Amino acid sequence: HEGRTGSALIGRRGPARINPCVAMSDDEGGSSMAPEQVRHVRAAVAGPLLPTICSLLGLDRVSAASLLDMGAVYVEKVRVTSGDHDQIVPKDAYLRVHTNPRRFPVARSTDWPSRIVSTTPHFAVINKPGGVPVHATLDNAVEVSDACASEALAARLWALHRLDVPTHGLVVMGRT
């Protein structure tokens, strides 16, 4: 189907999730369907990323910025990080935007410094709570154990193994 700007869109539908942005309407008029989860668009003109996303998807700046900060936006198949709101998107660049990312509220309510079990110059051991992924998901790079523990330690950590999302327990993370 065609989007508001005439860009070709591809989407799939799935279960509703806790969403940081305004829910988008269902083009087919079905009120029981969840909002589209992935939008694939091409930039019609070159310009800054945040206004480009707002224009192409009909989102307000706060909603689009929330998706960018969460790691739910890719430009030419590369994830955009929170500091890249003003990066220039070339004309005809391919953008993939996860408009309804899966959320992990436990990650924000957890006291991550208290979850650090042990640290050395080369690794850290954390006690991962259930309900939080170990590493970034396709649509959420923020509400995950490695990002939250990295923030708590003020050092970049890399997961050396993983536990399933509902599982709680010890995870070893590399520091070097």
Side-chain angles (χ1 to χ4, degrees):
H1 61 289
E2 294 292 311
R4 295 184 186 124
T5 62
S7 299
L9 303 176
I10 304 166
R12 67 183 168 113
R13 309 217 182 259
R17 303 186 196 268
I18 302 166
N19 193 343
C21 66
V22 177
M24 300 181 70
S25 65
D26 180 14
D27 292 340
E28 288 78 41
S31 59
S32 64
M33 297 297 287
E36 289 187 20
Q37 291 186 19
V38 183
R39 301 280 299 264
H40 301 269
V41 295
R42 292 226 175 249
V45 297
L49 181 58
L50 184 59
T52 298
I53 291 173
C54 292
S55 171
L56 288 172
L57 301 182
L59 295 174
D60 61 79
R61 289 181 68 85
V62 171
S63 297
S66 175
L67 293 172
L68 284 164
D69 291 342
M70 186 172 286
V73 177
Y74 294 75
V75 176
E76 297 295 343
K77 301 182 181 181
V78 176
R79 187 189 301 262
V80 176
T81 60
S82 61
D84 293 336
H85 290 203
D86 295 324
Q87 89 175 43
I88 300 301
V89 177
K91 182 179 189 237
D92 294 324
Y94 165 67
L95 284 79
R96 184 178 79 219
V97 182
H98 297 261
T99 59
N100 197 10
R102 185 169 178 198
R103 302 298 306 271
F104 303 97
V106 172
R108 288 291 171 210
S109 64
T110 296
D111 176 22
W112 286 96
S114 72
R115 293 276 182 172
I116 309 299
V117 175
S118 178
T119 61
T120 74
H122 302 289
F123 68 87
V125 178
I126 66 163
N127 185 7
K128 181 188 100 59
V132 181
V134 170
H135 52 78
T137 63
L138 195 58
D139 56 359
N140 188 336
V142 177
E143 297 169 339
V144 296
S145 298
D146 62 358
C148 293
S150 292
E151 185 178 317
L153 286 173
R156 181 67 176 112
L157 298 174
W158 293 268
L160 301 179
H161 65 97
R162 63 183 207 106
L163 297 175
D164 292 338
V165 173
T167 305
H168 64 90
L170 299 179
V171 177
V172 179
M173 301 213 170
R175 296 183 76 171
T176 56

